[in-house]
């Protein structure tokens, strides 16, 4: 290196007697790094490996220079010749040693030669500058103390194994402290020197890289619109908070979450544009942060406000003190958001729905907590929005049951898990059974026998009511025809089947009814279809055409629960209705035998509806008849048929067979 290399290509250096090949500038740029890595070698890595190679060769050379030489007996003449050759070699060796030392001191990579006891033998200028001291001050200092290798057990153990020759390489990242106090992030590498008695310590300053990584992580973990932590950072913090070890030092061991969604935010984006929407989100984030900081000052605990996406935000409360703290926080958030927002001259008002969950952290998972919070948020919206709702385990159990029923409803029809029971429709004039209403039951393998109110709503929501309704209609018509065949001498009874409005919309109900009547052989006038008042009164277009076609076919159409919906009497003159079924809420006002005075208004309303129906040519059925007094009063008012527990509960088909032809029906 001290010589002129001009005209001889890249400089090549190697310690005399070294087992390493000469290292050239070309070799340094192309040779692979000895450190295991999945990425390709970068320029700083190549430079660091070059310097390390030079330092290892220097260590070998210095070891040879400093090692004591044992006396050897040689013959006089050969000894003289060897002494002459050694004298000729010594100046060249000294020159190379000086070159290596100069390269070691001038290297940009901070390095030190460490003996087997862990003490620094020599250090270069770069290491001294990195630590803010002089090279001489580092000599005989414990290397582990200089680069913080003794603070944790694993690092210290690995370092000691390299010193003892039991490990070929060790690398770690440490946070060092410069003499002037500022931190320095460093990558420390320890490898054995070729002489086997020393190790080479190299320290690369990676502070700029760490700073860049920190900035990139901040961008990755924060929402660009509101500057709040995003979903990724939120779940990272939540997972850490649920770690039981975080509650071993005086914490409450509880965790709380307010999960909120802005009501009607989409309308702001759609009408005023996304720019205004982003400003609103930023303003909302500011108010949420103020609420969280205020609660943290008064109640304690660590709060994290995050935007999870869209118009969804979350406030995580670590070491919460109970549900009251979360309830107060939710109230303060609602109050803060109800105040108008002034955004560049535009005054906006928004509200929020909040789901609140608070529980012990032990045994709670991040997924479970978020699922319960999301469910509770849904409840808040379903209950009317602009409110907070606390998680209710019983309500959630009902939701889970509902979900389980929904997922098994369609296959249950195919598996034959449904059955029909029939409740008599009794003529009030003579007490004979004129018809029956088919009521479906689900014989669920897990939940037992379920009444229609447990699953019909679910079936209407997911569309399986079409398949289930078709099965009910076919089974009921087949049973009615069977009764007619078994009792040819008696007046045949009709069967009444409930029909959901979705069956009219999503299927060809007219074709289904016609096909089933033809298949079973039941006369059309022995089939009655019941639709609720709210469904029938709003009928127009296709539903009205379907009802008219069914009526023209001879099928009876009944309005169920009449008096509880729209009660638009104008529809009665246009709809092909033949029967009105009075809702049980009116009939309950007729009770005499329980010590309560009957409600005169209920009697007046029922009497008026009965008279109106008869004037329109309709028959009237009273539901929920439970006492003899009710039955007698309804008979005198003029009701045509009655249905209820006074006559019979819903029973199996064979029980109905015993009631056919019996007049009056025994009660």
């Amino acid at each position: 290196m001290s010589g002129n290399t001009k005209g001889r290509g890249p400089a090549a250096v190697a310690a005399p007697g070294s087992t390493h090949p000469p290292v050239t500038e070309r070799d340094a740029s192309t040779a692979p790094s000895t450190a295991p890595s999945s990425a390709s070698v970068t320029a700083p890595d190549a430079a660091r490996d070059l310097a390390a190679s030079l330092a290892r060769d220097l260590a070998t050379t210095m070891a040879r220079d400093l090692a004591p030489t044992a006396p050897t007996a040689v013959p006089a003449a050969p000894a003289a010749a060897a002494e002459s050759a050694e004298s000729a070699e010594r100046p060249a060796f000294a020159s190379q040693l000086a070159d290596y030392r100069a390269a070691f001191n001038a290297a940009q990579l901070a390095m030190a030669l460490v003996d087997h006891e862990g003490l620094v033998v020599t250090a270069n200028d770069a290491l001294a500058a990195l630590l803010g001291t002089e090279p001489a001050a580092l000599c005989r200092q414990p290397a582990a103390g200089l680069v913080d290798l003794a603070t944790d057990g694993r690092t210290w153990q690995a370092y000691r194994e390299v010193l003892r020759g039991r490990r070929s390489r060790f690398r770690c990242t440490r946070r060092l402290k410069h003499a002037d106090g500022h931190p320095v992030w460093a990558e420390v590498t320890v490898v054995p020197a070729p002489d086997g008695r020393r190790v080479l310590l190299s320290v690369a300053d990676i502070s700029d890289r760490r700073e860049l990584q920190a900035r990139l992580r901040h961008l990755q973990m924060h929402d660009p619109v509101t500057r709040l932590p995003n979903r990724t950072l939120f779940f990272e913090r939540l997972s850490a908070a649920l770690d039981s070890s975080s509650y071993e030092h005086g914490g409450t061991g509880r965790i709380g979450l307010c999960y909120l969604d802005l009501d009607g935010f989409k309308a702001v984006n759609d009408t005023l544009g996304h720019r205004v929407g982003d400003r609103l989100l930023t303003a909302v984030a500011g108010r949420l942060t103020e609420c969280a900081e205020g609660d943290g000052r008064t109640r304690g605990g660590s709060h994290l406000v995050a935007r999870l996406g869209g118009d969804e935000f979350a406030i995580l409360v670590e070491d919460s003190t109970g549900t009251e703290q979360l309830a107060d926080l939710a109230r303060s958030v609602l109050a803060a958001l109800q105040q108008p927002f002034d955004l560049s001259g535009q005054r906006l008002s928004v509200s929020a729905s909040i789901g609140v969950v608070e529980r012990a952290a032990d045994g709670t998972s991040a997924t479970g907590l978020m699922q319960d919070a999301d469910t509770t948020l849904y409840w808040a919206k379903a209950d009317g929005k602009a409110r907070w709702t606390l998680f209710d385990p019983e309500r959630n159990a009902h939701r889970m049951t509902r979900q389980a029923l929904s997922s098994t409803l369609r296959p249950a029809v195919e598996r034959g898990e449904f059955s029909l029971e029939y409740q008599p429709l009794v003529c009030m004039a003579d007490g004979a059974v004129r018809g029956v209403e088919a009521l479906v039951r689900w014989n669920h393998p897990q939940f037992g026998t379920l009444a229609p109110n447990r699953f019909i709503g679910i079936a209407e929501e997911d569309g399986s009511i079409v398949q289930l309704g078709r099965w009910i209609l076919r089974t009921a018509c087949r049973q009615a025809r069977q009764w007619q065949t078994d009792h040819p001498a008696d007046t045949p009874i009709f069967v009444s089947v409930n029909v959901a409005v979705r069956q009219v919309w999503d299927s060809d109900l007219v074709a289904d009814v016609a096909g089933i009547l033809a298949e079973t052989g039941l006369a059309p006038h022995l089939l009655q279809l019941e639709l609720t008042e709210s469904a029938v009164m709003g009928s127009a277009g296709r539903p009205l055409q379907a009802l008219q076609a069914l009526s023209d076919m001879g099928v009876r159409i009944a309005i169920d629960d009449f008096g509880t919906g729209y009660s638009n009497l104008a529809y009665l003159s246009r709809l092909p209705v033949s029967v009105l079924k009075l809702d049980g809420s009116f009939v309950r006002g007729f009770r005499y035998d329980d010590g309560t005075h009957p409600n005169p208004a209920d009697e007046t309303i029922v009497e008026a509806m009965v008279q109106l129906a008869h004037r329109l040519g309709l028959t009237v059925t009273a539901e929920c008849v439970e006492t003899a007094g009710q039955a007698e009063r309804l008979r005198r008012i003029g009701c045509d048929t009655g249905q209820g527990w006074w006559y019979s509960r819903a029973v199996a088909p064979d029980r109905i067979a015993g009631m056919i032809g019996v007049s009056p029906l025994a009660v």
Side-chain angles (χ1 to χ4, degrees):
M1 286 187 183
S2 60
N4 185 5
T5 60
K6 182 176 180 180
R8 293 187 293 159
V13 293
S18 171
T19 58
H20 298 280
V23 180
T24 68
E25 294 172 341
R26 183 182 298 106
D27 295 334
S29 63
T30 61
S33 170
T34 57
S37 173
S38 59
S40 60
V41 177
T42 62
D45 291 334
R48 183 165 63 247
D49 290 342
L50 172 61
S53 179
L54 292 174
R56 285 195 299 269
D57 290 340
L58 171 63
T60 302
T61 304
M62 293 175 65
R64 287 183 53 196
D65 184 42
L66 299 176
T69 304
T72 304
V74 296
E83 181 178 354
S84 175
E86 184 177 346
S87 298
E89 184 182 332
R90 188 175 293 116
F93 178 76
S95 175
Q96 289 179 342
L97 180 60
D99 289 345
Y100 277 113
R101 284 176 172 166
F104 178 78
N105 289 325
Q108 296 296 316
L109 180 64
M111 294 181 289
L113 196 64
V114 181
D115 63 20
H116 68 281
E117 294 181 354
L119 302 178
V120 175
V121 176
T122 182
N124 67 355
D125 295 341
L127 180 59
L130 184 68
L131 300 177
T133 185
E134 295 296 328
L138 299 177
C139 292
R140 308 308 299 170
Q141 294 290 325
L146 296 176
V147 291
D148 191 30
L149 299 181
T151 53
D152 71 85
R154 290 186 61 185
T155 301
W156 172 250
Q157 181 64 26
Y159 170 64
R160 296 294 297 173
E161 287 180 356
V162 177
L163 287 181
R164 295 168 182 169
R166 299 175 183 173
R167 183 168 178 161
S168 61
R169 172 182 287 266
F170 165 67
R171 178 176 292 178
C172 66
T173 300
R174 312 305 289 175
R175 187 174 185 270
L176 309 180
K177 189 174 183 180
H178 193 271
D180 63 7
H182 76 268
V184 177
W185 281 99
E187 185 179 80
V188 179
T189 304
V190 183
V191 296
D195 67 350
R197 296 182 300 165
R198 296 176 176 83
V199 297
L200 177 66
L201 173 75
S202 60
V203 184
D205 186 352
I206 59 171
S207 298
D208 292 341
R209 187 198 308 173
R210 293 283 298 201
E211 183 179 354
L212 176 60
Q213 290 174 345
R215 289 202 301 267
L216 291 176
R217 174 176 168 79
H218 182 84
L219 293 174
Q220 181 186 9
M221 296 293 185
H222 287 76
D223 172 51
V225 175
T226 62
R227 308 300 182 191
L228 291 177
N230 61 13
R231 176 181 289 271
T232 303
L233 181 55
F234 172 82
F235 274 99
E236 183 179 290
R237 177 78 171 268
L238 175 59
S239 298
L242 292 174
D243 183 3
S244 60
S245 63
S246 63
Y247 297 99
E248 294 175 354
H249 305 287
T252 64
R254 302 188 67 82
I255 193 164
L257 178 63
C258 289
Y259 186 26
L260 65 97
D261 179 275
L262 300 182
D263 300 326
F265 177 74
K266 185 177 184 298
V268 175
N269 270 342
D270 293 344
T271 57
L272 302 178
H274 288 272
R275 185 183 298 272
V276 175
D278 288 348
R279 291 177 181 172
L280 178 59
L281 290 174
T282 303
V284 168
R287 294 191 183 180
L288 294 179
T289 302
E290 292 176 0
C291 292
E293 291 175 349
D295 184 75
R297 286 191 298 268
T298 57
R299 295 290 190 95
S302 178
H303 296 59
L304 175 71
V305 182
R307 181 190 177 199
L308 302 186
D311 57 350
E312 295 180 357
F313 296 84
I315 303 178
L316 178 66
V317 181
E318 299 179 46
D319 289 328
S320 56
T321 58
T323 56
E324 188 62 31
Q325 178 185 7
L326 271 296
D328 290 343
L329 177 58
R331 293 189 193 99
S332 67
V333 168
L334 287 179
L337 296 182
Q338 286 173 356
Q339 300 300 318
F341 292 85
D342 191 359
L343 305 175
S344 302
Q346 291 182 317
R347 199 170 179 83
L348 299 177
S349 296
V350 296
S351 62
S353 301
I354 307 176
V356 178
V357 182
E358 200 279 339
R359 61 184 53 160
D362 187 25
T364 299
S365 66
T367 302
L369 185 68
M370 287 303 301
Q371 183 176 357
D372 291 345
D374 185 61
T375 298
T376 312
L377 173 61
Y378 172 80
W379 294 344
K381 284 188 171 295
D383 291 344
K385 301 182 179 181
R387 67 191 65 217
W388 64 271
T389 301
L390 185 65
F391 179 75
D392 182 0
E394 292 185 4
R395 186 174 181 180
N396 186 59
H398 176 73
R399 181 190 69 86
M400 296 296 291
T401 301
R402 182 181 176 87
Q403 179 62 34
L405 294 178
S406 176
S407 62
T408 57
L409 186 55
R410 289 180 184 273
V413 179
E414 301 173 358
R415 291 194 297 263
E417 294 180 2
F418 292 93
S419 61
L420 293 183
E421 293 182 345
Y422 302 87
Q423 188 170 31
L425 298 170
V426 179
C427 176
M428 288 193 164
D430 59 10
V433 176
R434 297 297 183 212
V436 292
E437 180 180 356
L439 299 174
V440 63
R441 301 288 188 261
W442 185 358
N443 303 308
H444 197 281
Q446 178 181 355
F447 302 111
T449 303
L450 303 179
N453 61 345
R454 294 287 303 276
F455 58 87
I456 290 297
I458 301 173
E460 291 179 353
E461 289 177 6
D462 65 12
S464 59
I465 188 64
V466 175
Q467 179 186 10
L468 177 60
R470 190 177 292 120
W471 177 87
I472 294 173
L473 183 62
R474 178 177 288 105
T475 304
C477 289
R478 184 182 295 114
Q479 182 61 61
R481 177 59 179 160
Q482 184 65 45
W483 286 324
Q484 184 180 8
T485 302
D486 294 343
H487 300 80
D490 297 314
T491 302
I493 62 174
F494 68 88
V495 63
S496 186
V497 178
N498 291 277
V499 176
V501 69
R502 187 161 183 175
Q503 291 178 256
V504 183
W505 280 107
D506 293 359
S507 68
D508 191 345
L509 182 62
V510 177
D512 287 344
V513 171
I516 290 173
L517 290 177
E519 174 188 335
T520 59
L522 185 69
H525 72 277
L526 295 179
L527 174 62
Q528 175 175 291
L529 300 181
E530 296 185 19
L531 288 88
T532 61
E533 179 184 353
S534 57
V536 174
M537 289 303 179
S539 297
R542 180 177 175 181
L544 181 58
Q545 294 172 4
L547 295 179
Q548 186 62 57
L550 290 169
S551 179
D552 294 342
M553 192 186 301
V555 176
R556 299 153 54 105
I557 306 297
I559 299 179
D560 196 12
D561 300 330
F562 186 77
T564 60
Y566 297 105
S567 296
N568 189 339
L569 300 181
Y571 273 91
L572 291 179
S573 63
R574 301 203 304 265
L575 292 173
V577 177
S578 54
V579 180
L580 295 184
K581 297 190 71 173
L582 298 182
D583 185 69
S585 59
F586 296 108
V587 177
R588 293 189 187 97
F590 283 60
R591 296 186 68 105
Y592 286 87
D593 53 353
D594 60 356
T596 60
H597 187 72
N599 188 347
D602 285 340
E603 294 193 30
T604 302
I605 292 173
V606 170
E607 187 173 3
M609 288 193 293
V610 170
Q611 292 177 1
L612 174 64
H614 288 168
R615 291 290 183 93
L616 293 174
L618 309 178
T619 60
V620 179
T621 298
E623 297 181 306
C624 299
V625 180
E626 298 178 353
T627 67
Q630 288 175 324
E632 178 60 24
R633 181 58 180 159
L634 289 168
R635 186 189 65 78
R636 278 188 274 172
I637 286 177
C639 280
D640 300 288
T641 54
Q643 176 183 2
W645 289 359
W646 171 248
Y647 302 107
S648 174
R649 296 174 180 264
V651 295
D654 57 343
R655 295 280 301 279
I656 296 295
M659 302 178 187
I660 297 176
V662 178
S663 179
L665 181 67
V667 294

